[in-house]
């Protein structure tokens, strides 16, 4: 057999299926499995959203090709929403619709870096970002984020890692995997750093609609110079409970969007159209529904904190939006062994910290937003007395 691309072969396999296999060994002794692994909305889409998805899927217009950059109706609605959220003037032509935020990152990375270049990724990192870099031959250079700093990266530490190969810094806030929310001033310092060093700042805000405190997440887009430095990434999956429809977005200067169009044409031609039509309606129409969901996720976070306060030895080191990053009490035991035991014996599926980079074996990532408050309240009983 001829050789495959070594960059692909050297990339680790997707880790979530590995963890899900552990759960298949659980026999149900403590009740139904509580799946806190993959971030999945723990409630259904709005009924009217479902009705519109069904109607547009059956419309012959949705069966044809659309614009490479996404249908203008959705781009206009999304640009208007961002402009209001950030107190900025973002034009529809400064947005492009993608097949989810994972694809948005692939497209942005291909636009900014070539094989042999490097980008800074906060560590612990979202494994799909590291996998994408590896497959494209781009170095994912770790930017360590310490627990004692709330897993918030330090711009001065980042600057020390920048050399001629570094083309961008990626930040995720609220963060996956840690849940850390980066303060606006930290983001602004990173933007200033990137502008000074002539590199890009890519900000993934997949979970921005679930901040504990509502309102403007930061002032990056209100800066008239943002187009020279900042690229925004977003996913509609969590906020509208439609991950299966695979819709996300990139926000960048028009010239950058134009270049990104070359990548979009090669890997998707156009985004799926039925979901776009429904989203164009949903962005303005479902604002109150999204706010109710934000409050529900905040309540689940409070319930999670309260549950773990009842568990000696376990420690919630960071929590926000969909995720908690939890230190387990088993010194010297690798996190995969802890996560496997939890899944197989206690029916609680979480991801080991090692899935998110080196040096993370003392932690588990818990996607608590998947579970309702009743299920979260069961966690102390499930975890008490666990021996690894």
């Amino acid at each position: 057999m001829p050789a495959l691309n070594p960059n692909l072969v050297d990339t680790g396999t997707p880790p979530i299926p590995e963890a899900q296999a552990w759960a298949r060994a659980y026999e149900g002794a403590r009740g139904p499995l509580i799946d806190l692994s993959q971030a999945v909305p723990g409630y259904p889409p709005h009924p009217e959203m479902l009705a519109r998805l069904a109607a547009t899927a059956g419309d012959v217009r949705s069966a044809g090709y659309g614009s490479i950059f996404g249908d203008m109706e959705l781009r206009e609605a999304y640009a208007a929403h961002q402009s209001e959220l950030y107190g900025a003037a973002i034009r529809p032509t400064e947005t492009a619709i993608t097949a989810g935020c994972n694809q948005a990152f692939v497209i942005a990375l291909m636009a900014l870096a070539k094989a042999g270049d490097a980008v800074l990724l906060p560590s612990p990192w979202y494994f799909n970002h590291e996998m994408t870099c590896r497959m494209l031959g781009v170095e994912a250079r770790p930017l360590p984020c310490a627990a004692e700093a709330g897993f918030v990266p330090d711009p001065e530490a980042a600057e020390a890692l920048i050399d001629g190969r570094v083309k961008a810094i990626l930040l995720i806030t609220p963060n996956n995997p840690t849940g850390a929310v980066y303060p606006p001033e930290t983001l602004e310092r990173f933007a200033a750093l990137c502008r000074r060093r002539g590199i890009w700042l890519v900000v993934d805000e997949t979970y921005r609609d679930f901040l504990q405190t509502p309102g403007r997440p930061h002032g990056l887009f209100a800066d008239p110079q943002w187009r020279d430095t900042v690229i925004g990434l977003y996913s509609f999956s969590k906020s509208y409970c439609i991950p299966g429809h695979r819709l996300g977005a990139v926000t960048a200067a028009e010239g950058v969007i134009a270049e990104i169009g070359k990548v979009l044409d090669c890997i998707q031609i156009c985004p799926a159209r039925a979901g776009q039509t429904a989203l164009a309606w949903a962005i303005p129409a479902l604002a109150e529904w999204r706010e109710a969901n934000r409050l529900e996720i905040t309540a689940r976070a409070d319930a999670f904190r309260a549950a773990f306060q009842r568990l000696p030895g376990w420690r919630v080191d960071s929590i926000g939006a969909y995720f908690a990053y939890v230190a387990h009490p088993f010194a010297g035991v690798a996190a995969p062994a802890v996560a496997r035991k939890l899944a197989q014996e206690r029916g609680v599926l979480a991801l080991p910290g090692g899935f998110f980079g080196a040096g993370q074996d003392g932690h588990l990532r818990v996607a608590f937003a998947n579970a309702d408050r009743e299920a979260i309240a069961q966690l102390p009983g499930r975890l008490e007395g666990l021996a690894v």
Side-chain angles (χ1 to χ4, degrees), residues 61-84:
R61 289 171 294 184
S62 297
Y65 284 128
S67 166
I68 292 170
F69 301 100
D71 291 348
M72 185 53 73
E73 184 183 12
L74 176 55
R75 295 170 75 192
E76 288 173 346
Y78 183 56
H81 173 67
Q82 288 193 103
S83 296
E84 181 180 2

Side-chain angles (χ1 to χ4, degrees), residues 134-358:
R134 189 178 293 271
M135 285 187 281
L136 293 177
V138 175
E139 179 193 352
R141 190 170 296 179
L143 171 57
C145 298
E148 55 269 24
F151 294 101
V152 174
D154 177 21
E156 291 184 9
E159 184 155 25
L161 296 171
I162 296 172
D163 58 22
R165 293 174 55 220
V166 173
K167 304 302 179 185
I169 300 174
L170 171 72
L171 302 178
I172 309 175
T173 180
N175 188 259
N176 179 4
T178 66
V181 177
Y182 300 168
E185 56 270 21
T186 298
L187 294 171
E188 288 156 16
R189 288 175 61 200
F190 269 103
L193 166 63
C194 290
R195 185 175 296 113
R196 184 172 71 251
R197 297 300 297 266
I199 63 176
W200 292 95
L201 176 63
V202 182
V203 184
D204 180 335
E205 295 187 275
T206 292
Y207 300 94
R208 73 179 177 213
D209 294 321
F210 303 99
L211 291 166
Q212 185 169 5
T213 303
R216 189 167 300 165
H218 54 74
L220 296 182
F221 292 111
D223 183 342
Q225 299 182 74
W226 74 265
R227 296 169 179 85
D228 299 330
T229 306
V230 178
I231 295 176
L233 310 181
Y234 180 70
S235 170
F236 298 102
S237 297
K238 308 304 188 296
S239 300
Y240 298 89
C241 303
I242 52 168
H245 285 273
R246 307 310 306 134
L247 287 166
V250 178
T251 300
E254 279 192 44
V256 176
I257 293 293
E259 292 298 321
I260 280 173
K262 301 173 185 177
V263 186
L264 288 167
D265 190 45
C266 289
I267 63 175
Q268 73 170 15
I269 300 181
C270 72
R273 301 194 66 197
Q276 292 187 74
T277 302
L279 276 172
W281 164 83
I283 289 173
L286 296 185
E288 292 184 5
W289 180 79
R290 292 198 307 273
E291 173 61 10
N293 292 336
R294 185 193 68 80
L295 293 172
E296 172 59 25
I297 296 302
T298 298
R300 293 183 188 190
D302 292 341
F304 188 86
R305 288 190 193 91
F308 271 75
Q309 286 173 355
R310 296 168 49 194
L311 287 166
W314 295 82
R315 186 179 69 248
V316 178
D317 277 346
S318 184
I319 187 169
Y322 262 51
F323 304 110
Y325 211 55
V326 178
H328 68 73
F330 306 104
V333 178
V338 179
R340 189 180 302 111
K341 273 271 192 178
L342 273 175
Q344 294 176 346
E345 296 184 4
R346 304 303 178 97
V348 177
L349 183 59
L351 298 185
F355 283 4
F356 304 94

Side-chain angles (χ1 to χ4, degrees), residues 16-35 336-337 339-349 382:
I16 288 179
E18 177 184 347
Q20 290 172 336
W22 302 336
R24 288 196 285 273
Y26 174 61
E27 297 180 348
R30 293 175 178 263
L33 178 75
I34 301 175
D35 187 348
R340 189 180 302 111
K341 273 271 192 178
L342 273 175
Q344 294 176 346
E345 296 184 4
R346 304 303 178 97
V348 177
L349 183 59
R382 297 277 186 113

